Amino acid sequence: MSSFTHRGQLPGGRDISGNRLAKTHKDSMENLPVSAPCVLLVGLMPGFGGMHLPRHLARVGLRVAFLGTRACMASSSGFVEEFLPWEPENGGHYQVAPFAKAVRHCRPVCLVPIDECAAELLQIMGRGTTGQEAAFTLPGDIAELVRNSLGNPDHYPLASARQRAYQTSRTADIPVPEQADVSTLGEIIDFARRHQWRIVVKRERSMGGVGIHILDSEAATREFVAQGLFLASGGKWVAQAFMPGRLGMHAVFAVRGHVLAAVSAIQLLRRSENASAPSSVVMLCGHKAMAASGAAFVEATGASGFHGWDFQVDEGGNAFLIEHNPRPISISHLGGLLGSDLMAALAASCGVRVPPPPHPPMDECRVTLFPDEWRRDAASPWLHGQFHDVPWDDPALLGRVMAANFSYR
């Protein structure tokens, strides 16, 4: 695990259309009418997840408020008009009252969870019960807002996103590698033996590549077992057959089971040498197989809001779904480059008239994700010569990111 601290120069920036930036965040926010709909971002975990969303939501005419922790970088965006704290009480439990108070105060038209913890907590509130604790009841209008934002509560994955993604994929005829729940070391060994010792072991409620172990040989599987990395008491685990190919990703914005905008990408570079590390450079593209699977998943679950999936894409272009994220992912704000703007789709669903983009869309676009590649290697050649997703028009956010200490795996 490496720790990075960068306080230096970055290559010159361009906006979402490829033009050198001229406007500041103040210019953009001052142009928003007071009556513009408000989107409430919910972020409960530290890190960079969702940090690009505020400026892109403001770009399409939406006001942005943030509920959660200051440790989440998105809360520092200059496009966040209001920050409302929501921290766990003693014992790590979140109270419903601060959430309800924030909704009453901001009157959002949509809730957007930007990390797994926020997504699961909103799903729990949408259902009204955790299944383990006493049921509670949200005021009717707030419960309706949660369900309109997330979709059909019968299909919320809660703490079993990987298990539910597999079940949904099988039901909807989405190509997916074989998967099994595993609760003992013996079950892992048996599953690995059935798949020629080429498997991926994943812990539920893990993210960012943490809790994912790619085991591509008998020796690797037995080393995983010997090192004690599998802890049956540490939550649910699944084992998945290893699929060769390139990592693909697909992001959508949907309303009640219908995809309104979508974008796909293929990984070109990871942010660390770890095989399960997230992407730092991607190629945005249209990909029929990933798009078809995403649309089928959304229809099968009646989903609303932002969703993302990871796929393994083989040499023939076939895509096998390996992960579902019920939240925005690293490419969700970039669809406008290819003419399928997820932020504009959200705005349009809220009744906002979004002007057409000033430049024609591209067929594909290589994107260096910020801050991932910059933190991997501040001298990387990938920082020059293509679209680098630096928030130049959000100096408050950019300053905090450049000053941050953060460990990548």
Side-chain angles (χ1 to χ4, degrees), residues 375-391:
R375 285 181 169 269
R376 186 192 71 83
D377 180 3
S380 169
W382 295 91
L383 302 180
H384 306 269
Q386 68 279 318
F387 185 83
H388 190 191
D389 191 29
V390 183

Side-chain angles (χ1 to χ4, degrees), residues 9-14 21 23 55 388 390-395 398:
Q9 297 295 317
L10 289 169
R14 306 223 172 231
L21 289 162
K23 291 186 176 182
R55 75 183 193 279
H388 190 191
V390 183
W392 297 107
D393 53 346
D394 197 347
L398 183 58

Side-chain angles (χ1 to χ4, degrees), residues 60-366:
V60 296
L62 296 167
R63 294 188 174 276
V64 182
F66 185 95
L67 173 67
T69 176
R70 277 293 188 194
C72 179
M73 287 283 179
S75 70
S76 295
S77 170
F79 292 93
V80 171
E81 297 190 14
E82 189 161 14
F83 170 81
L84 302 116
W86 195 18
E87 299 282 357
E89 303 291 332
N90 293 335
H93 297 291
Y94 286 87
Q95 299 298 315
V96 176
F99 169 75
K101 183 177 180 181
V103 170
R104 288 275 184 253
H105 176 73
C106 297
R107 296 192 194 174
V109 294
C110 183
L111 305 171
V112 178
I114 62 174
D115 56 53
E116 279 76 358
C117 182
E120 183 178 337
L121 196 53
L122 290 183
Q123 291 164 13
I124 289 171
M125 290 191 292
R127 279 192 169 184
T129 178
T130 65
Q132 297 175 339
E133 300 174 3
F136 56 84
T137 302
L138 285 173
D141 59 330
I142 297 180
E144 182 179 8
L145 173 66
V146 173
R147 292 164 186 165
N148 286 342
S149 300
L150 304 186
N152 186 346
D154 292 338
H155 293 282
Y156 294 168
L158 299 179
S160 302
R162 293 185 168 111
Q163 181 187 64
R164 292 295 293 271
Y166 178 71
Q167 294 169 346
T168 298
S169 297
R170 293 294 297 269
T171 301
D173 292 326
I174 296 170
V176 61
E178 185 177 344
Q179 180 175 299
D181 298 340
V182 289
S183 58
T184 68
L185 296 175
E187 289 174 349
I188 294 176
I189 294 294
D190 289 344
F191 187 87
R193 186 178 289 113
R194 293 199 307 273
H195 293 87
Q196 291 74 51
W197 302 97
R198 293 172 63 81
I199 66 171
V200 183
V201 181
K202 304 178 178 183
R203 180 168 51 84
E204 289 281 17
R205 307 178 86 178
S206 63
M207 62 214 74
V210 178
I212 297 177
H213 305 271
I214 299 174
L215 310 175
D216 57 2
S217 67
E218 180 176 356
T221 302
R222 294 196 179 280
E223 182 181 1
F224 170 77
V225 172
Q227 289 181 348
L229 297 175
F230 173 78
L231 299 174
S233 61
K236 298 178 181 178
W237 289 75
V238 300
Q240 194 176 76
F242 177 81
M243 298 295 296
R246 298 182 298 170
L247 181 70
M249 59 210 74
H250 186 70
V252 307
F253 177 76
V255 174
R256 292 185 293 276
H258 299 281
V259 173
L260 302 189
V263 63
S264 299
I266 298 293
Q267 182 186 80
L268 300 181
L269 194 65
R270 298 187 300 268
R271 73 184 187 190
S272 81
E273 295 182 357
N274 191 298
S276 63
S279 302
S280 62
V281 183
V282 301
M283 180 67 77
L284 298 183
C285 59
H287 196 283
K288 292 182 179 179
M290 287 195 283
S293 291
F297 196 104
V298 166
E299 182 179 5
T301 58
S304 292
F306 293 100
H307 291 260
W309 298 268
D310 288 345
F311 294 84
Q312 285 295 110
V313 182
D314 67 17
E315 293 182 355
N318 302 300
F320 298 86
L321 190 152
I322 59 173
E323 290 278 336
H324 168 229
N325 298 293
R327 56 165 176 79
I329 60 174
S330 61
I331 62 170
S332 294
H333 62 290
L334 297 170
L337 291 167
L338 303 191
S340 185
D341 192 335
L342 279 63
M343 307 299 127
L346 168 56
S349 74
C350 298
V352 176
R353 296 185 62 183
V354 181
H359 300 287
M362 293 176 277
D363 293 328
E364 60 181 26
C365 178
R366 191 175 68 191

